[in-house]
Amino acid sequence: AVVSTQSKMFVVFLLCLICFLSWLLLRKSSGWKGEVPPCPPMHPIFGNIPTMYKLSPIPQFAFHSIAMEFGNLVRLKMGPKFMLLVSGFDEMKELHGNEKTENRAHAELQTANLVYRGQFQTKGILLNHSEEFKELRRFTLKSLRDLGIGKNSSEEIILEECREVVEKIKELVEERNGIMNLD
């Protein structure tokens, strides 16, 4: 069968177009301004989702493993969107105490909701981006303050209770040669 010159040119054009689009997809910048936080290896299309699944199919455990390896501030790509994983207390306190970030709208991360919840719908405090997030955050902080969280007197009592629980667990572990029944 004789292949026409036009069809050869068309195939060459399609190959060039595919190569160009692939190059654009792979070189796309992240859009981060300033110093870029560390990031685990990522897939050009799926981002860090395959890496997270290799670490653990449960997102919380995968986030913890990533934070232990890369630090308290980690850049993640969840599908087409970038997100910042903040896992340190001091970093969270700085982020939420800063006026520049306090009133800023949270990004809509539908891919993260799909991975974390199994659906695109946003509810609750985590991975929420709407006015509902601000209301829930205000309510939660007010309720916790009413219960005494954040006050130095209750903080000392809680820390003392935690120390006692840890000591009791250590005694039980020594008593039973390291074998614990958690049921």
Side-chain angles (χ1 to χ4, degrees):
V2 176
V3 179
S4 70
T5 307
Q6 266 187 333
S7 61
K8 287 181 184 177
M9 293 282 287
F10 183 70
V11 169
V12 169
F13 174 75
L14 280 179
L15 287 174
C16 290
L17 182 66
I18 290 171
C19 290
F20 178 72
L21 291 176
S22 300
W23 176 76
L24 280 178
L25 179 69
L26 292 174
R27 78 160 197 61
K28 185 180 176 186
S29 69
S30 66
W32 287 87
K33 294 176 184 164
E35 189 177 336
V36 179
C39 179
M42 70 174 100
H43 188 274
I45 296 172
F46 301 116
N48 295 111
I49 294 173
T51 305
M52 287 179 53
Y53 191 77
K54 285 179 189 173
L55 292 171
S56 175
I58 301 170
Q60 297 91 317
F61 296 145
F63 286 146
H64 177 71
S65 299
I66 289 171
M68 294 303 289
E69 185 175 342
F70 292 95
N72 291 333
L73 290 175
V74 181
R75 176 179 54 134
L76 295 175
K77 185 177 180 190
M78 302 294 280
K81 303 238 182 180
F82 280 93
M83 66 184 278
L84 182 66
L85 175 64
V86 183
S87 58
F89 177 76
D90 293 333
E91 288 81 2
M92 284 185 200
K93 194 171 183 179
E94 182 181 339
L95 183 69
H96 287 293
N98 190 344
E99 287 183 20
K100 290 179 184 176
T101 59
E102 188 73 27
N103 296 321
R104 211 168 133 189
H106 287 220
E108 186 174 344
L109 298 170
Q110 292 182 345
T111 309
N113 280 316
L114 183 63
V115 169
Y116 190 73
R117 296 181 181 278
Q119 59 186 353
F120 287 116
Q121 187 178 11
T122 59
K123 287 187 176 180
I125 296 175
L126 293 177
L127 303 175
N128 200 335
H129 59 86
S130 62
E131 282 297 317
E132 180 186 2
F133 166 78
K134 292 178 183 176
E135 279 184 46
L136 281 170
R137 185 172 180 273
R138 276 193 293 266
F139 172 77
T140 304
L141 290 174
K142 182 181 179 297
S143 300
L144 290 173
R145 284 187 194 116
D146 290 346
L147 292 172
I149 304 296
K151 296 178 181 168
N152 289 338
S153 59
S154 63
E155 188 175 336
E156 290 300 321
I157 294 169
I158 292 170
L159 288 173
E160 183 59 34
E161 290 291 329
C162 288
R163 283 187 206 104
E164 289 179 19
V165 168
V166 168
E167 288 300 319
K168 183 67 176 168
I169 290 172
K170 285 180 182 177
E171 289 174 13
L172 288 172
V173 167
E174 289 174 8
E175 214 174 84
R176 299 179 181 170
N177 296 327
I179 299 172
M180 293 293 298
N181 184 0
L182 299 177
D183 289 334

